[in-house]
Each structure stands twice: as C-alpha cells, then as structure tokens.
C-alpha cells in the first residue's frame, strides 16, 4: 500500500542522514520539499540530493514563514491535501525536513492534517545541537546531569529557570533574540561557558568559543545555536578542537 | 593518519545508524565494544552487525556498571591506553555506543582520556527518546515550546522544575526510580500526559499510553523512557498509532 514518509535530513551534511532515511528516499515516487526563499534548491533538498534517483518527481512547495497564522494554515491545508491525493492514487511520497521531524518542524502541522487519512511513517534525524556537541566532542550530559532545549524566543522566565537548574542548556535560533540571550547569559555569569555555532556541519560552519565578546547587533545566520555547558571546561577543549 | 572514531549506533534498529557511521564502520581495522553482562553479543554490536566486514577485529571490553568509581576509572584507563596504542601502531579504531555518544554515554570517559594523544572524531546517533517521538508521531516541541531531558535519578527539585516549566519532559532510565517518578507525575497531575516506552525500535518494544495504572513495583527493561507531553492530546493519538 502506498505511504507517506516524513524524513529528518539531519543538520546539514548529507552523510548524517540515517540509513533508513536514505533507503526511503531511494524508493519513493515523489518528494515534497519546502521551497527556498529566493529560488534555487532548498537546503533540505541539497542535503539529500546524493541519494535521489534521476526520475524522482520533486514538488517544491511554498511554506509561508510569516506571523500570519491564517496564511500558514491555508498553505498547510493545500499541501496536505495534495500529498493525500498523491498517496491515494498509489504513489509513495516523502517530505523532508531539517534536523529531526519532531523538533521544531513545520512537518508537525502537515502530519496533523494527514494522519488518519493515509498510512504515515516518520524517520528521525540528528538535531543540529547534537551534531555540534559531537563535532566539539564536548558531552551534552553525563551521569546525573540534565539538559534543556529552548528557542531563543522563549519566555525569559523559562530561560532563567533552565540556566539556573540545568547542567546544559541549548538555545536554538539565537539570531532572532540575540540581545536578550546575551543579557541573560551575562546575568548568570555564563558567557565563558557558552559556545555559539552557526550552520553546524554545513559549508562555512562557524564557531565562537566564549560569547563574552559577541556584539548585540551581530548579524548571525538563521541556523545559529548556543550551547551553555555549565559543567565543562571549555578553555581546555578550545585548544584541542576544530569543527 | 590513523584515527579513533566514536560512533553512536542510535536506539536499536540497525538502519537508524547514520550513513557516516556506517561508512566508518565499513572502513576501520578494529572495533571496540562494551562487553555484555552474560556473554553473547553486546547490544551495540548487534545493531551494527549488518555493516561489519568479516575480517574486522572485534575487541569486546568490560565496562563495570557499578558505583565504585575507582574500579570504573581503572577500566577506562586500561581501555583508553589499549586504543591509543592501536591507533599509534597505525590502526583505524572505532568504538560504538548506544544512542548518541554525547548523551549519557560511558564513551565520554574514554574520550576524555584519549583526546589530545591521537586524532579523534565523534559521529552522532539518534537518541532513544527522539526515536520514540518519531515512532509515535507526537512532536517533542513546536513553535515556542521547550523540552527537558533528565535521568530518573536526578534530584526531585529539578524534576519538579522541569514538570512545571517545560512543555515536554523526557525521563530516561525510569526503571531505576519508578516509584519516585510515578509519585512526581501524580503530584503534577500528568499521568495522562505521559507515555512510557521500553526498548524503543528494538524487537519486543513495548508502549504504555497513560501511566496512571503502572504499578510501582513493575519490572521494567533498563531501556525504559517516559515522555511527558503536556501540550499534546495523547488520547487522540493512541487510537491512530502503533509502534
């Protein structure tokens, strides 16, 4: 029976896709991808391109990245309907999403509309912060430690709770709220314990050990993550590691 | 130049390994794995076995799972020394670890002893809780939500903080502290929002939607995780999903 697959591409490098994700992509009839802003290939599509058959039908679709939820819902409804129709006509269809499909992905909204109408399967992917820790070779957590993952746009109260109580704190998409985040890190005296990485595992990946000297008006890539490692000695690691 | 690779095998299914992890395993000369308790094959070794060459040298080594830190350190020192010697003699060596190498893995202690003496690279893996969310097709986080990952043995204070402030809370290895965790979930009226999964993505994987009826003295697999999804309607998902 035909099926719909959501596949996490991982953070950026093609070989950080799972073996299962690769196999599914090699066998589906049709692939939906988010359309990039200014034409060209979407990032998710670039990541999986080594694994795509020449005869694969690729449907790039526009996902509005705006604050107008009505506009977003209309787009999701339309794309979900199109996918459902394709699968009902007997096509195996995949949708690709950066990182992991269950972590801050628009895929959740598509899936919500599709589940129950056709068969669905979701294949996990490596999250960017996870790849950052592996690249730096600095453990996220050991033993009894705990970690928290928050978007930089989260409420200040919860970011403060995380910085106070958790050993490791991951702050996603910091470019959107850099002054707020830098202020909170200074307030908790944690700038020396924080690493900032842009475009992890992609070409042009950049790393900033210790964010004390980061200016509040720095222009950062959309894919910029900070990891606050309260229990690690980053000064020692800095000299040993390169991304 | 010869190199040491730490590789996350992912949660259990062989095809949840990354393409990079698979390629490294296909090319190394020697593979170190944790020795299982009662003879036989280690779980990590079972996961990667489809990718191993017939002539690969496999060295199973014993990692004491005891509270005696001195005994553990002696074992780690010995295994690290052995690995360093192998690489210095020109062998490419890999070590495999369940899930992700930077998330609650003994690999951290090996790496700490090895870094700086030889070249090292760490390859990420899918964490079990991430695979659970993908199997259930229940998003971990969307939009402004945040999630926390804690071992069940963490201090009650921090588990309470997480249950109060975070949208999604992952509790790892709950078998060790089941009565405490069930008590905290009841206290926060979250038993209906909690899914318990044992041996995710492995043969015999089991799921319990709603932990209200779980008995405190239930014998659980060591690899049992709970995910508290405060913002999701699990009752709706329960009828649609199977692992």
């Amino acid at each position: 029976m035909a099926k719909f697959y959501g596949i996490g591409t991982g953070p950026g490098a093609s070989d950080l896709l799972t073996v299962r994700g690769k196999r599914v992509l090699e066998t589906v009839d049709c692939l939906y991808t988010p359309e990039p802003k200014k034409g060209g290939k979407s990032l998710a599509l670039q990541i999986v391109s080594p694994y795509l058959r020449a005869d694969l039908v690729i449907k790039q679709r526009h996902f509005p990245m705006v604050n107008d939820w009505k506009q977003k819902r209309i787009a999701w409804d339309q794309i979900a309907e199109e996918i459902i129709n394709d699968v009902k006509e007997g096509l195996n269809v995949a949708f690709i999403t950066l990182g992991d499909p269950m972590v801050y992905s628009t895929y959740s909204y598509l899936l919500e509309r599709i589940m129950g109408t056709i068969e669905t399967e979701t294949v996990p992917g490596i999250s960017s912060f996870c790849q950052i820790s592996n690249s730096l070779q600095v453990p996220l957590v050991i033993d009894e430690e705990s970690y928290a993952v928050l978007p930089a746009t989260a409420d200040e109260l919860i970011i403060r709770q995380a910085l106070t109580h958790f050993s490791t704190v991951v702050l996603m998409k910091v470019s959107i709220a850099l002054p707020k985040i830098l202020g909170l890190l200074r307030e908790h005296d944690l700038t020396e314990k924080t690493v900032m990485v842009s475009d992890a595992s992609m070409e042009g990946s950049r790393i900033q050990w210790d964010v004390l000297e980061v200016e509040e008006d720095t222009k950062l890539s959309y894919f910029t993550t900070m990891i606050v490692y309260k229990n690690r000695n980053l000064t020692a690691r800095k000299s040993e590691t390169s991304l």
Side-chain angles (χ1 to χ4, degrees), chain A:
Chain A
M1 206 172 76
K3 200 164 164 180
F4 171 64
Y5 298 88
I7 299 170
T9 64
S14 298
D15 63 353
L16 290 177
L17 185 72
T18 61
V19 171
R20 184 180 297 178
K22 173 176 179 282
R23 178 179 44 79
V24 170
L25 285 170
E26 285 165 350
T27 55
V28 290
D29 305 297
C30 176
L31 175 65
Y32 282 78
T33 79
E35 193 174 58
K37 276 177 202 156
K38 299 164 189 164
K41 249 186 187 176
S42 85
L43 182 54
L45 191 58
Q46 282 177 46
I47 295 171
V48 301
S49 58
Y51 311 119
L52 305 182
R53 296 194 323 272
D55 65 341
L56 178 69
V57 177
I58 296 174
K59 298 187 180 181
Q60 295 208 16
R61 291 294 175 267
H62 180 62
F63 286 78
M65 297 293 275
V66 291
N67 286 323
D68 179 350
W69 281 86
K70 198 181 157 193
Q71 201 186 323
K72 287 190 193 180
R73 285 195 197 99
I74 291 170
W76 298 335
D77 284 346
Q78 284 174 348
I79 301 165
E81 203 189 319
E82 218 186 328
I83 290 172
I84 294 168
N85 288 338
D86 279 355
V87 174
K88 285 191 172 167
E89 282 176 16
L91 298 176
N92 283 301
V93 173
F95 177 84
I96 44 175
T97 185
L98 290 174
D100 183 86
M102 297 292 109
V103 178
Y104 301 119
S105 172
T106 304
Y107 171 74
S108 296
Y109 296 105
L110 266 189
L111 182 66
E112 194 180 31
R113 285 160 169 76
I114 292 171
M115 271 186 92
T117 65
I118 52 174
E119 206 185 335
T120 60
E121 181 179 332
T122 308
V123 180
I126 304 289
S127 289
S128 59
F129 70 86
C130 186
Q131 166 56 10
I132 291 171
S133 265
N134 279 275
S135 293
L136 301 177
Q137 302 192 104
V138 178
L140 274 172
V141 272
I142 53 174
D143 303 321
E144 309 288 283
E145 295 177 348
S146 301
Y147 73 99
V149 180
L150 309 92
T153 48
D155 195 89
E156 287 199 15
L157 168 72
I158 185 178
I159 300 180
R160 280 205 179 87
Q161 292 287 347
L163 292 174
T164 305
H165 295 285
F166 286 77
S167 332
T168 302
V169 179
V170 177
L171 298 161
M172 313 272 287
K173 297 180 185 165
V174 291
S175 64
I176 303 167
L178 187 61
K180 177 178 89 176
I181 297 300
L182 289 174
L184 288 166
L185 291 172
R186 280 193 289 259
E187 181 187 309
H188 288 79
D189 198 17
L190 288 170
T191 54
E192 280 180 30
K193 292 291 188 181
T194 306
V195 180
M196 182 170 82
V197 178
S198 299
D199 303 323
S201 96
M202 299 184 219
E203 223 174 292
S205 166
R206 284 176 308 288
I207 176 169
Q208 170 86 38
W209 293 92
D210 186 343
V211 297
L212 183 63
E213 286 162 33
V214 175
E215 301 283 343
E216 295 200 346
D217 58 357
T218 309
K219 283 265 173 241
L220 296 172
S221 152
Y222 181 72
F223 299 107
T224 300
T225 302
M226 285 187 190
I227 308 184
V228 188
Y229 293 103
K230 282 163 69 177
N231 295 353
R232 306 284 174 269
N233 180 349
L234 296 185
T235 318
R237 279 294 159 92
K238 184 180 173 177
S239 57
E240 296 170 315
T241 321
S242 62
L243 264 189

